[in-house]
Amino acid sequence: MFRHLFKMIWNKKKQNSLLIVEILLSFLVIFAVFTFAINSYNNYAKPMGFNYKQVWAISYNHTLETKNSDSVVLVYENLLRNIKSMPQVVDAGYASGNIPFANNHMSTGIDNNGHKVDNVNNFFMDENYINVMGAKMIAGRWYNKADGGSKANIIVINRKLKEELFGNTDAIGRTFGNNDDKNKRKVIGVIDDIKTDGDYQQAPYGLYNRHDTAAYKWMGKILVKVSPGTDAAFEAKLYKLMANTFKNSNIEIEHLDNKLTAYNKITLVPLIILSIVAAFLIINVALGIFGVLWYNINKRRGEIGLRRAIGAPGSSVSGQLVGEALILATLSLIIGAFFAVQFPLLNVFDLPAVVYLGAMLLAVIFIYLLVLVCSLYPGKQAAAIYPAVALHEE
């Protein structure tokens, strides 16, 4: 039966080639949509790693006229002390510009005795960061004030970087860097992964550096944890305090929950665009299948009438047309699967292989369902042809 159907399709390969190409393109686009969607859902299902609610981010410019380093440090320490003394403030601390959801990255690379790790995010902050963010330490400790005077090159890394550098072994007290590197860093703590790029992106590799006093001039951010119910009146007071400290500075106060909402919308734009393109292709494929099957019915009314006249049931006629459509889809999917399987084999976009395989499976099921649904009604119409009418017309 399948050999007979394949032979009939092959004899009309010029007529069917365009439909095969349309199904192939639809499969590839749908595969891309499902890959993006599955990866986004997997990232969304993972915990954020910190509590971003009631956290405000204050952006400012360093506009102090004094060049004396001790005076600069004194101003910044007094400012933070004044912010913390406000009754609505739970905690506050300085941070570098690559705070969560800021679309700002400070990337570096690590070479640990030949084991290279690229795209490692460098975060700079003070000892207050862990409390302000509500982040979780999974091993070791966070920085304290005593570390400010220490000459040891210590570092806190996140779980993802720890697993990349040290696997399942304990990382506390271990160092990383080349053998000839005199500035090897000693791990004192491992912090849980923080998704700084929104709900739908995975947490990056992270190095958490404690800033020194010289960094005050370029840090540019203050993270403030406020108590629930804090209103705009307090925000105005906070803005006034910042404006009085930094004359002629661009002061901006943002809420991290609002920044997360905006960042998520930007992240989902590619998925929306791919979905629109896929929808147009699906419509074209559906119309193509309808058109080809209707054409086949009109051109083969004599053949269908003869088959009905010699006793073929309507279900057999309908099944033949549906079977031809499914074989066309299978030919397209074989070609499409060949290209799709290259993604996990070549580790394209550095995504887990299970994401690609799941997307491939869903795309195959979707194409088969689409072809089946589009071919059922024409097949039903072909089965309803009366033998006498068809043979009379022939």
Side-chain angles (χ1 to χ4, degrees):
M1 178 64 179
F2 288 104
R3 182 179 180 185
H4 173 69
L5 293 177
F6 182 81
K7 185 176 181 180
M8 294 178 64
I9 292 173
W10 180 256
N11 291 335
K12 299 178 181 179
K13 53 183 176 293
K14 290 184 179 180
Q15 300 175 12
N16 295 324
S17 59
L18 181 59
L19 184 59
I20 291 177
V21 172
E22 288 181 350
I23 297 176
L24 172 61
L25 292 177
S26 297
F27 168 78
L28 294 177
V29 174
I30 294 170
F31 168 71
V33 172
F34 278 126
T35 299
F36 196 105
I38 291 175
N39 184 59
S40 297
Y41 176 78
N42 288 343
N43 293 331
Y44 179 80
K46 296 177 182 177
M48 186 66 72
F50 73 107
N51 185 11
Y52 56 88
K53 295 181 180 179
Q54 279 82 52
V55 177
W56 297 0
I58 308 174
S59 303
Y60 61 91
N61 303 111
H62 177 77
T63 57
L64 297 180
E65 296 180 357
T66 178
K67 303 298 182 180
N68 185 278
S69 58
D70 292 335
S71 298
V72 170
V73 172
L74 183 62
V75 170
Y76 278 95
E77 288 181 349
N78 285 337
L79 173 61
L80 187 61
R81 192 178 301 112
N82 290 334
I83 292 175
K84 285 184 172 184
S85 66
M86 293 180 169
Q88 296 90 343
V89 174
V90 178
D91 208 341
Y94 289 100
S96 52
N98 54 343
I99 61 172
F101 325 135
N103 199 21
N104 185 341
H105 301 85
M106 300 170 60
S107 299
T108 186
I110 295 175
D111 189 346
N112 186 30
N113 297 326
H115 183 188
K116 295 183 178 180
V117 184
D118 297 321
N119 298 320
V120 180
N121 270 20
N122 250 326
F123 301 98
F124 293 85
M125 70 291 299
D126 58 21
E127 65 276 1
N128 304 300
Y129 184 86
I130 191 77
N131 294 326
V132 174
M133 301 292 284
K136 176 184 175 185
M137 297 295 299
I138 60 176
R141 67 174 180 87
W142 186 252
Y143 300 107
N144 53 45
K145 286 188 176 296
D147 294 323
S150 173
K151 295 183 179 180
N153 194 5
I154 56 178
I155 192 71
V156 173
I157 62 177
N158 68 346
R159 182 201 299 265
K160 184 176 181 180
L161 183 58
K162 175 260 179 187
E163 293 176 350
E164 180 67 27
L165 291 176
F166 307 112
N168 295 325
T169 60
D170 186 15
I172 305 303
R174 299 181 64 174
T175 60
F176 58 87
N178 290 325
N179 288 326
D180 56 350
D181 189 355
K182 296 181 180 179
N183 296 314
K184 280 192 172 186
R185 306 190 202 188
K186 180 180 179 181
V187 179
I188 63 168
V190 179
I191 191 173
D192 203 2
D193 293 335
I194 294 177
K195 295 196 294 186
T196 57
D197 294 324
D199 283 315
Y200 304 106
Q201 299 286 338
Q202 61 180 341
Y205 296 116
L207 289 173
Y208 292 83
N209 306 266
R210 187 187 188 280
H211 77 84
D212 54 22
T213 55
Y216 279 127
K217 296 180 180 180
W218 58 264
M219 294 287 279
K221 300 286 184 181
I222 300 178
L223 293 175
V224 181
K225 179 78 170 181
V226 298
S227 57
T230 303
D231 55 13
F234 169 73
E235 187 171 339
K237 294 180 180 178
L238 190 59
Y239 181 91
K240 185 177 180 180
L241 174 62
M242 294 294 301
N244 289 335
T245 303
F246 300 106
K247 306 293 185 181
N248 302 319
S249 176
N250 296 321
I251 309 296
E252 184 180 8
I253 301 177
E254 300 175 287
H255 300 190
L256 287 193
D257 51 354
N258 294 335
K259 290 177 68 68
L260 173 60
T261 301
Y263 201 98
N264 284 341
K265 290 180 180 179
I266 297 175
T267 305
L268 291 177
V269 167
L271 179 59
I272 295 173
I273 294 175
L274 278 174
S275 299
I276 293 174
V277 173
F280 278 109
L281 281 175
I282 290 169
I283 293 173
N284 287 332
V285 170
L287 293 176
I289 294 173
F290 272 115
V292 168
L293 292 180
W294 276 112
Y295 177 80
N296 287 341
I297 291 173
N298 291 328
K299 294 290 290 185
R300 297 161 62 183
R301 290 180 67 87
E303 172 195 337
I304 295 173
L306 181 60
R307 289 194 62 195
R308 295 297 309 277
I310 61 177
S315 59
S316 177
V317 175
S318 176
Q320 177 182 341
L321 293 176
V322 174
E324 289 178 9
L326 292 177
I327 290 177
L328 285 174
T330 301
L331 293 176
S332 300
L333 292 175
I334 290 174
I335 301 173
F338 170 78
F339 290 105
V341 78
Q342 304 305 315
F343 285 79
L345 292 178
L346 300 177
N347 196 26
V348 180
F349 303 125
D350 198 26
L351 297 179
V354 66
V355 172
Y356 291 119
L357 297 177
M360 194 185 311
L361 177 61
L362 291 176
V364 168
I365 294 174
F366 184 89
I367 290 295
Y368 272 130
L369 288 176
L370 175 66
V371 172
L372 181 62
V373 170
C374 293
S375 60
L376 283 177
Y377 183 73
K380 183 178 179 181
Q381 293 296 103
I385 294 176
Y386 289 101
V389 175
L391 293 176
H392 177 72
E393 292 175 354
E394 188 68 20

